[in-house]
Amino acid sequence: MDIIFGRNKKEQLEPVRAKVTGRIPPWLQGTLLRNGPGMHTVGETRYNHWFDGLALLHSFTIRDGEVCYRSKYLRSDTYKANIEANRIVVSEFGTIAYPDPCKNIFSKAFSYLSHTIPDFTDNCLINIMKCGEDFYATTETNYIRKINPQTLETLEKVDYRNYVTVNLATAHPHYDAAGNVLNMGTSIMDKGKTRYVVFRIPAAVPEDKKGTNPLKHTEVFCSITSRSLLSPSYYHSFGVTENHIVFLEQPFKLDILKMSTAYIRGANWAACLAFHKEDKTYIHVIDQRTRKPLPTKFYTDPMVVFHHVNAYEEDGCLLFDVITYEDSSLYELFYLANLNQDFEENCRLTSIPTLRRFAVPLSVDKNAEAGSNLIKLTSTTAKALKEKDDQVYCQPELLYEGLELPRINYARNGKRYRYVFAAEVQWSPIPTKILKYDVLTKSSLKWGQEHCWPAEPLFVPTLGAQDEDDGIILSAIVSTDPQKLPFL
């Protein structure tokens, strides 16, 4: 397993033509961009966690039935500093680094103070975001890096804080039909409050401002005050419908006080995250028309959610589908110390990722009896139970056990939909099959081959397609067999 997870990947700077088996449909033209950790050791030093590795960009250019592949490391400030020092000198979430081990005690003390709310890494290894005509590599910090999608060259470094007050932001924004970007971030202790901030980046700039960057026209859409000033919720994504935004304030929390002393204690930032199983998960629903949260307090059981699948509205209710975990153990499994010859034993999931559907009433009858179910839909068994104090407890419908990295036909984002394309994950966090799940019939189709680990599947609709599932699924496949090359 160390060969797969711990080995540094080589760049493929010049495009290499792939050997094509079968036939690629003539309408499939374009470039698939992918991003992920590629370098886990620098000199004699090694990252602690697989999610910390230096970002490696990949592109598959599909033209006229042929595919060309290239890859290049993101030339972030983090990458350049590490390579120049020939050791890890910039901290990542699971790895604390000390830039100069020979510093005297006074400069060390100053360095500790400057890490109270740390200046996070720009190692943008999670996703690629389109903003106007530009493309950015993204992570979960306040930094994004502009890239050239053709050459994979790294361009300017962008700090969200120049446009909106956030210290952390998701790598999974949403796009509307016009291409406007909607994203969320956390503003830590700004003016005495910690907030979850929803912000919008326009796809195009006003006529009189032509030539300026759309980021300069970023606006705060709305904000929600965190239930705790010093322990905001961690979140990886959020949901949208045509009229609403869904945000889960889950009891998987970042301890700001611990983070402020992490550097001096030699603890990584991941150690400042904790799951509070005695707490609730709060469901915030924001009306996009008023830009204000609904007044009703919706909640459910404690859980951890990384990925929202989709959300939509039906007969006065908002339904949203998410992949849930009963605890936060998933992150622990990807410490490189666990990814060794005892991998299968070390990485037996204590909580299987489960697709669940929640239903929330968009208006609550004040006269409804305590204990009554406010959901009257026949399309789901999810419940919303009114309580005496006007809170509403949401009980989800279980749809499927054992899937992660969900994608949909994005034309159905925020609308009623039928199909989820995902990686099947059972008792191990490693995906073994590509899964097409039908939320209507609760049936599934699967693809898999021995020694093959599929990455997140991307659905590309056929030109002019009428059916939601008329299209192609693209997935980069890692081979665990040294004799077999990886493939798309």
Side-chain angles (χ1 to χ4, degrees):
M1 291 303 161
D2 194 53
I3 293 171
I4 297 165
F5 285 102
R7 184 179 57 192
N8 291 345
K9 311 295 187 294
K10 288 182 180 176
E11 295 177 307
Q12 179 61 49
L13 297 177
E14 293 304 315
V16 58
R17 185 171 293 175
K19 176 189 169 188
V20 176
T21 302
R23 177 179 159 274
I24 296 171
W27 61 264
L28 189 63
Q29 311 268 345
T31 300
L32 172 66
L33 295 174
R34 279 289 175 255
N35 192 0
M39 187 183 298
H40 289 92
T41 58
V42 184
E44 298 297 311
T45 57
R46 179 182 175 93
Y47 286 112
N48 295 332
H49 201 279
W50 191 66
F51 296 162
D52 291 345
L54 292 173
L56 182 62
L57 303 170
H58 309 262
S59 74
F60 300 88
T61 301
I62 303 171
R63 288 275 182 277
D64 304 323
E66 294 188 332
V67 182
C68 285
Y69 169 79
R70 76 196 307 165
S71 64
K72 190 171 187 177
Y73 278 103
L74 184 75
R75 288 336 195 243
S76 59
D77 291 355
T78 297
Y79 174 93
K80 289 187 277 194
N82 287 344
I83 297 301
E84 186 179 339
N86 196 34
R87 57 189 288 270
I88 297 167
V89 294
V90 179
S91 297
E92 298 294 337
F93 212 58
T95 309
I96 284 287
Y98 294 91
D100 185 353
C102 303
K103 277 185 179 177
N104 65 41
I105 191 165
F106 295 108
S107 57
K108 274 186 179 177
F110 182 78
S111 179
Y112 293 149
L113 288 171
S114 71
H115 278 73
T116 303
I117 292 180
D119 187 21
F120 291 112
T121 175
D122 68 337
N123 177 34
C124 301
L125 79 163
I126 295 178
N127 203 2
I128 305 289
M129 176 178 80
K130 189 173 190 289
C131 182
E133 297 301 311
D134 299 323
F135 291 82
Y136 294 87
T138 64
T139 183
E140 296 190 322
T141 73
N142 50 289
Y143 292 117
I144 56 177
R145 291 298 306 230
K146 190 174 176 182
I147 62 166
N148 181 317
Q150 276 79 43
T151 64
L152 302 184
E153 179 187 1
T154 304
L155 306 173
E156 60 259 37
K157 177 181 180 178
V158 174
D159 186 346
Y160 272 137
R161 292 176 300 183
N162 292 333
Y163 311 106
V164 59
T165 309
V166 291
N167 306 88
L168 303 162
T170 90
H172 290 289
H174 286 275
Y175 307 90
D176 64 17
N180 301 305
V181 179
L182 195 69
N183 203 1
M184 278 194 72
T186 302
S187 174
I188 298 172
M189 293 194 299
D190 177 50
K191 297 174 184 168
K193 288 189 175 180
T194 294
R195 296 184 180 90
Y196 309 110
V197 179
V198 180
F199 58 95
R200 184 177 176 273
I201 308 168
V205 297
E207 279 296 326
D208 59 335
K209 302 279 176 61
K210 284 293 181 190
T212 62
N213 187 335
L215 283 158
K216 291 182 178 176
H217 299 273
T218 300
E219 61 165 338
V220 173
F221 193 82
C222 81
S223 67
I224 297 168
T225 302
S226 168
R227 297 183 73 84
S228 168
L229 174 68
L230 297 173
S231 298
S233 170
Y234 170 82
Y235 53 99
H236 186 75
S237 62
F238 61 104
V240 298
T241 69
E242 290 172 306
N243 298 307
H244 294 87
I245 296 165
V246 186
F247 166 62
L248 299 178
E249 189 173 13
Q250 54 195 359
F252 189 28
K253 298 179 182 179
L254 184 62
D255 189 318
I256 303 302
L257 289 179
K258 280 187 178 178
M259 181 175 268
S260 68
T261 59
Y263 194 73
I264 201 165
R265 290 185 292 113
N268 61 37
W269 297 322
C272 307
L273 268 173
F275 179 63
H276 300 264
K277 62 185 179 188
E278 70 285 352
D279 287 357
K280 301 171 180 175
T281 300
Y282 290 93
I283 301 167
H284 299 281
V285 178
I286 300 155
D287 190 321
Q288 293 200 51
R289 296 156 297 192
T290 64
R291 300 191 175 196
K292 292 180 179 176
L294 299 187
T296 306
K297 288 185 170 63
F298 300 106
Y299 78 94
T300 189
D301 298 323
M303 62 182 185
V304 172
V305 169
F306 296 103
H307 294 116
H308 282 248
V309 181
N310 199 13
Y312 63 94
E313 293 163 36
E314 180 185 339
D315 295 338
C317 295
L318 186 151
L319 294 93
F320 64 93
D321 298 344
V322 287
I323 311 290
T324 71
Y325 292 83
E326 291 177 358
D327 56 40
S328 60
S329 59
L330 178 74
Y331 191 86
E332 301 295 318
L333 302 182
F334 279 96
Y335 276 100
L336 289 171
N338 291 329
L339 303 177
N340 55 29
Q341 66 272 17
D342 300 321
F343 170 77
E344 289 192 13
E345 190 177 326
N346 290 340
C347 284
R348 192 164 171 80
L349 283 173
T350 54
S351 171
I352 298 180
T354 303
L355 176 60
R356 296 183 192 273
R357 170 164 292 177
F358 288 83
V360 170
L362 292 170
S363 61
V364 175
D365 180 1
K366 295 284 184 188
N367 299 318
E369 284 185 31
S372 63
N373 180 19
L374 303 174
I375 304 299
K376 308 301 180 189
L377 304 175
T378 57
S379 62
T380 181
T381 58
K383 296 178 180 178
L385 305 173
K386 189 171 185 288
E387 298 187 340
K388 289 178 183 175
D389 54 4
D390 285 337
Q391 290 197 102
V392 174
Y393 168 65
C394 297
Q395 195 175 68
E397 175 185 3
L398 169 63
L399 295 178
Y400 192 88
E401 285 191 325
L403 79 169
E404 249 298 3
L405 306 175
R407 296 295 289 258
I408 62 169
N409 179 338
Y410 202 74
R412 308 303 305 162
N413 190 52
K415 301 171 186 172
R416 198 165 185 166
Y417 78 116
R418 184 167 174 178
Y419 301 106
V420 183
F421 306 95
E424 186 173 57
V425 177
Q426 291 299 330
W427 284 104
S428 159
I430 302 303
T432 53
K433 289 184 173 69
I434 295 172
L435 176 78
K436 175 191 176 186
Y437 180 72
D438 185 333
V439 298
L440 187 64
T441 64
K442 312 292 193 291
S443 60
S444 61
L445 288 172
K446 300 175 187 180
W447 173 92
Q449 283 183 10
E450 197 175 6
H451 306 299
C452 289
W453 292 354
E456 177 186 52
L458 177 76
F459 181 82
V460 184
T462 306
L463 291 174
Q466 298 297 311
D467 295 333
E468 184 184 332
D469 61 341
D470 181 359
I472 295 283
I473 299 169
L474 298 174
S475 177
I477 311 292
V478 173
S479 174
T480 60
D481 180 354
Q483 305 303 316
K484 191 171 186 176
L485 292 171
F487 60 96
L488 178 69

